[in-house]
Amino acid sequence: MKLTTGQSCAFLVVGAFVIAGFKQLAGSTAGVAAMVLVLIAFVFLMFYISKKQKDNLHTQLLAQADKLDKIASGEFASSDITFATHKDEVVVLHLDKVILNEFRSTGSTYSGGYGGVSFRVTKGIRANVGGMQGTTTKNPEESTQLDVGPVTFTNQRFVFAGNNQVREWDLDKIVNLVAGDNGYTLTIAVSNREKASMLRAPDLSDITPGMAGSIAMAWKEKGKTGAMADAKDLADRLREAVAKDTK
């Protein structure tokens, strides 16, 4: 049984409680038996929660596979999507509520001290003369959520249009495209932007950005039939993964 971080912490807390209870009730058979029952009940509860989470994940993945089947049969983006296209551009897929992340600096940190003479100015206050040394260091960049909005995937570009941020990635300028587990994230690096961007799904209830990006790239390289074949391959692999995990 694989526990989440929260479940592991809860298990440790309960474990510590049980150990403390054993120490206090070591001379009481009834007390020790009660502690054992509490521990067994907690283990069964954690197992139930873990199984429930796995079952929910399998349900979501199989639902994704069903949606990919529709794409594999030729059902792509809805025709009522309003999107200004370029010449020979085809809207492949459209996802809502996608999260845009980019690496941003969190500011700078100042560190320093006084190496000069310190003298009293008034009660509780000291002034330093000379010898002041310090450095300002730029903090490491962190992946930061910038906006949430729809993303349109075409055979020529990916377009994010949030309330505050707009991004367009030309597929001809992509130098690196990396999908995370189950396509939950899609990291995009293009030659005309200094920093890579990440598209992240809010959950696994819909086709993920990584899946959509893969299908759009397949359309660009092999046309509609290539995109349909890629969708079928993704659906097959999802079902295989679920079947393997349930054994």
Side-chain angles (χ1 to χ4, degrees), residues 1 4 18 30 42 55 61 66 75 77 85 93 95 100 119 167 174 182 187 192 231:
M1 177 179 64
T4 65
V18 171
F42 182 75
D55 290 343
L61 296 182
D66 290 341
E75 295 183 28
T85 57
L93 289 166
L95 301 180
L100 172 67
F119 61 94
R167 295 288 185 276
I174 286 180
N182 299 327
T187 302
N192 60 332

Side-chain angles (χ1 to χ4, degrees), residues 47-88:
F47 178 80
Y48 173 79
I49 292 174
S50 179
K51 185 178 184 304
K52 197 72 173 176
Q53 289 176 335
K54 179 180 284 190
D55 290 343
N56 289 339
L57 175 61
H58 290 168
T59 300
Q60 289 179 320
L61 296 182
L62 292 175
Q64 288 178 341
D66 290 341
K67 292 179 180 180
L68 289 167
D69 282 340
K70 292 182 179 180
I71 296 173
S73 67
E75 295 183 28
F76 287 89
S78 174
S79 59
D80 61 357
I81 294 175
T82 302
F83 186 80
T85 57
H86 297 162
K87 182 181 179 182
D88 299 324

Side-chain angles (χ1 to χ4, degrees), residues 84-175:
T85 57
H86 297 162
K87 182 181 179 182
D88 299 324
E89 185 175 24
V90 178
V91 175
V92 180
L93 289 166
H94 183 86
L95 301 180
D96 291 315
K97 298 180 181 178
V98 177
I99 300 163
L100 172 67
N101 273 46
E102 288 183 355
F103 281 92
R104 294 291 177 92
S105 173
T106 56
S108 301
T109 301
Y110 175 81
S111 60
Y114 292 94
V117 178
S118 177
F119 61 94
R120 184 171 178 175
V121 177
T122 185
K123 186 176 181 180
I125 300 176
R126 287 187 173 274
N128 290 270
V129 179
M132 181 177 179
Q133 298 177 344
T135 57
T136 300
T137 305
K138 187 176 181 179
N139 297 335
E141 293 187 339
E142 297 179 357
S143 182
T144 305
Q145 179 175 323
L146 300 184
D147 206 350
V148 178
V151 182
T152 303
F153 297 81
T154 82
N155 62 331
Q156 295 183 10
R157 54 188 171 143
F158 306 154
V159 180
F160 174 90
N163 291 327
N164 303 309
Q165 302 286 334
V166 175
R167 295 288 185 276
E168 179 178 318
W169 301 278
D170 189 328
L171 301 192
D172 286 330
K173 296 180 179 179
I174 286 180
V175 295

